[in-house]
Amino acid sequence: SDVKLAKLIRPIVLITMLVFYMSLTVADGISPSFMPPENYINLLEILMLTVFGAYFAGRTVEKVRTKP
């Protein structure tokens, strides 16, 4: 696809998840009393595993398919 957003959606989602994770980590480090609900932590874990796994597995499949 020649649509710029279609090419950038996976990296944008990956970076967004990483920034969200890092912001929670920093907030936890700055304020010891800060603790997000347990279900948010589980949701973030599942989303990050899915996003990172799909991104890197998808990129690997794309690279293998495009090789002659």
Side-chain angles (χ1 to χ4, degrees), residues 11-24:
I12 289 171
V13 170
L14 185 81
I15 291 168
T16 302
M17 293 298 297
L18 190 57
V19 166
F20 185 67
Y21 174 75
M22 294 303 293
S23 64
L24 282 178

Side-chain angles (χ1 to χ4, degrees), residues 2-68:
D2 290 335
V3 179
K4 188 120 175 126
L5 182 60
K7 291 181 180 180
L8 294 177
I9 193 69
R10 285 186 296 181
I12 289 171
V13 170
L14 185 81
I15 291 168
T16 302
M17 293 298 297
L18 190 57
V19 166
F20 185 67
Y21 174 75
M22 294 303 293
S23 64
L24 282 178
T25 303
V26 168
D28 186 39
I30 291 174
S31 173
S33 63
F34 173 77
M35 186 59 184
E38 187 68 31
N39 57 346
Y40 287 177
I41 295 171
N42 293 336
L43 177 63
L44 181 62
E45 178 183 0
I46 291 168
L47 284 174
M48 288 192 70
L49 283 171
T50 303
V51 168
F52 278 73
Y55 179 78
F56 290 109
R59 291 293 297 158
T60 301
V61 168
E62 285 177 359
K63 298 276 183 189
V64 169
R65 273 194 183 164
T66 57
K67 286 187 179 180

